[in-house]
Amino acid sequence: MATKPFAIIAGVGPGTGASIARRFAKSYPIVVLARNPQNYQSVVDEINSSGGQATGISTDLSDSKGVKSAFEQIKAQFSGSSLAAAVFNSGGGFVRKPFLELSEEEFAGGFESQGKGAFNFAQNVLPLFSPPATATTTTTETGTQQQHPPTLIFTGATASIKGSANFASFAAGKFALRALAQSLAREFGPKGIHVAHVIIDGVIDIPRTKGWVFESEDAKLDPGAIAESYWHLHTQPRTTFGFELDLRPYVEKW
Amino acid sequence: MATKPFAIIAGVGPGTGASIARRFAKSYPIVVLARNPQNYQSVVDEINSSGGQATGISTDLSDSKGVKSAFEQIKAQFSGSSLAAAVFNSGGGFVRKPFLELSEEEFAGGFESQGKGAFNFAQNVLPLFSPPATATTTTTETGTQQQHPPTLIFTGATASIKGSANFASFAAGKFALRALAQSLAREFGPKGIHVAHVIIDGVIDIPRTKGWVFESEDAKLDPGAIAESYWHLHTQPRTTFGFELDLRPYVEKW
Amino acid sequence: MATKPFAIIAGVGPGTGASIARRFAKSYPIVVLARNPQNYQSVVDEINSSGGQATGISTDLSDSKGVKSAFEQIKAQFSGSSLAAAVFNSGGGFVRKPFLELSEEEFAGGFESQGKGAFNFAQNVLPLFSPPATATTTTTETGTQQQHPPTLIFTGATASIKGSANFASFAAGKFALRALAQSLAREFGPKGIHVAHVIIDGVIDIPRTKGWVFESEDAKLDPGAIAESYWHLHTQPRTTFGFELDLRPYVEKW
Amino acid sequence: MATKPFAIIAGVGPGTGASIARRFAKSYPIVVLARNPQNYQSVVDEINSSGGQATGISTDLSDSKGVKSAFEQIKAQFSGSSLAAAVFNSGGGFVRKPFLELSEEEFAGGFESQGKGAFNFAQNVLPLFSPPATATTTTTETGTQQQHPPTLIFTGATASIKGSANFASFAAGKFALRALAQSLAREFGPKGIHVAHVIIDGVIDIPRTKGWVFESEDAKLDPGAIAESYWHLHTQPRTTFGFELDLRPYVEKW
């Protein structure tokens, strides 16, 4: 029976999600969620073969039944452990189009992915947290040690705070996600759960963007550095919770 | 055959929607939309019996087929006219509950009403606008006169810019609506269409809130005054479009 | 002895200030303030020769003694009247430069003009307001009629919400002005005084910008339309105060 | 002759400034600035007696001549070294009062401290940074090693984004400071210098607030945890600069 606190990362492809998984796997057994196992298999293998512990589960976060079943599997595997951290990093689910060319399904896709997906994730994740009664390191009832307050982090984007031409679907989804993050921070913060929202403002340096060339060097966000900021947020004590942090390359216009 | 420019108000009950309908009916024939005819019948009768022209159509804005059919009816009735203004004022569709007690349907209800409803409204409304080629008053091809740029206004709330405990559904919907409004303003503004978003921050003085008593007099927003501000936004020339205005009672904490 | 309510417009040159003066002069005797009489003389003459009543007073708003003396003059002239509206529209006072080339005086110039100037204006203006005890039109003690709540409006800019390279002085001043406006709205709103802040986001069509050519027609803000929005804010009842409105040309990028 | 990169912390009393000084002193020789030597002497002694290296200089940041002379002293002491990080943490300089009781000096005090003080600090600090030409760790011309991009962090407050009744002076100063931080981030970010702004939203647990009792445990911000977040921002590579982070206790209302 597992007894160490563990972490769950949702939305793990070869980019930011994989880096966050690697970072949290230094301290916790981790579960990674993605629709397509191809997306997470290599990082799961990498972690397991380098001394960490990782499990991949295929699920579509916008499907509440599927998510519930994934979490039954997680609860069975980590029975007796408490959840240390959870990260919602799902992307996709939207198209970039002139507004009048969007179908209702395309428009709603942003919310399906970012709103409903985050809702399903949060509803399953929150009951697994057991915040300590004081700010100091404690031993929980189940005998597990918890060094940092339980943490739920959501990944935002430029479109979380700005709606733009052709981005109605994505912006509607990302705005809704930020609304959810604020609502949860204000409801669960006082219960000792750290809810945070990170605005990623720029192009991330991932396989898909390898060919995108910029005038300046280092013009893309580094997934490893993003992961370090997520980890930093996780380590903050409940006296000093950060809610929102915006990250961008030094040359980004904003 | 109607030739005067007309206006459409969606979300008309006995409160703000009715006041906006009355205000725009001073200058335009109007169509009001609501799910329940009981909600709009009295204001439709009132306008028609006092020299104005109003038509009520029952439709559920979150149902794209129903909305399309309502707009077929509108286009038949106003064939030859251009649309002067459209207001999305739908409310409802959400519940106030602790997050872990929300069902997926309850959470998504905010987006169904505010996101999808506004999407369906905007997609049907935008093609009916024919912005003049210059800022001055013009006579359009169909011979109708258009004094002000075509205008699409969305009604927001405190929850449009702040997610709060127990308000995840409403905030997610209202944030998504604001994202949509910004996206449309940036896409259709340069085409001469005025898109605006009004944040109503406080309790409105409507039949449902009659019994709500506050310490100070005049502590509730006046629907007639809200309607005057919507009308003012409509009258702005394209040189000077207002995007966002926040309205609240003088004693409101914010 | 004057008994009609009057208005004061500070920062009147040939642009927005003059248009605001003209608009408010349709309803009130007005006083216009500017450092240089050349700036306001023509609009004062124009108003007086077309049936209105206008007085120009030369003063530097960042000089508290000078402002006090200007207001002594105003109080003598309008003894027995109450102040209906006051607009702070001062510009200038800043330079656009790379940060390391700014002198301390240049940097502080933005605050001198926008922060200290607005402070001096507000401190002298606020005691002249006598808000009615109820929202309805009332006859004040001095027998004057006051139709709208007393109103204090501040003119902001893009730099009120965004600091940019080379704009440290202007942004620091405009941010400080917005802080002042919010602080006053929250302190004096509950006393029935309407404090508002308007963000002018774009180039205004004034003599100084006549030569600035844009790709699109109507790409500059119309001072007359800006003035109409200020007047609209002034007419709002205390149940429905607008605090912030952003105005920009339809083609403006934002 | 010193060759290690060093750090400067301005505004060091027994609270946040001292914690930031301690944190950065783990990696760098540090200089602390404060008006009153009593404020920094104990942390300077503590650092020096525990293996670190700290120098205290008494200066009033709102006095440009005094600041210049302090920096002459710093440049002499650290000739040959480059500046790794600088933190502007000055507080004070403002009074909390009803607006009409504020003197001009009291109102301007917020800007003197936060606007002019930060201006003087930034103008002297920025020329001492020598950002590496690439994102990787480099050896600078002077032979010193620089692991992280040069960093300039400003300390904000709730009043940085909200003006409140009785807080006109403080809010005007803190808004101006945020404008300056944004302007500098946009001008110096592309040059490889990391400019950040931290919003401290709540009461900090320092000697002055020891007696302030809250209903919940851990209701005050921990200066040590604040310092860890400043350090984290400093360690971010230029691909992934954070600009703004808000920190508050888990029970804080916001």
Side-chain angles (χ1 to χ4, degrees), chain B residues 169-203:
Chain B
S169 170
F170 190 46
K174 282 293 187 192
F175 269 59
L177 175 64
R178 188 166 178 251
L180 177 64
Q182 287 186 6
S183 300
L184 294 178
R186 289 182 166 108
E187 182 171 347
F188 293 92
K191 297 175 182 174
I193 296 171
H194 185 181
V195 180
H197 181 256
V198 179
I199 295 173
I200 311 287
D201 183 20
V203 171

Side-chain angles (χ1 to χ4, degrees), chain A residues 135 186 189-190 218 220-222 225 228-229 232 236-250 254, chain D residues 135 186 189-190 218 220-222 225 228-229 232 236 238-250 254:
Chain A
R186 289 183 166 108
D218 302 319
K220 293 181 229 174
L221 287 139
D222 171 16
E228 287 299 332
S229 286
H232 171 68
Q236 294 177 317
R238 70 179 186 178
T239 55
T240 313
F241 278 170
F243 174 67
E244 196 158 77
L245 174 63
D246 51 340
L247 299 175
R248 62 181 61 83
Y250 71 119
W254 58 291
Chain D
R186 289 182 166 108
D218 302 319
K220 293 182 228 173
L221 287 139
D222 171 15
E228 286 299 331
S229 286
H232 171 68
Q236 294 177 317
R238 70 179 185 177
T239 55
T240 313
F241 278 170
F243 174 66
E244 196 158 77
L245 175 63
D246 50 340
L247 299 174
R248 62 180 61 83
Y250 70 119
W254 57 292

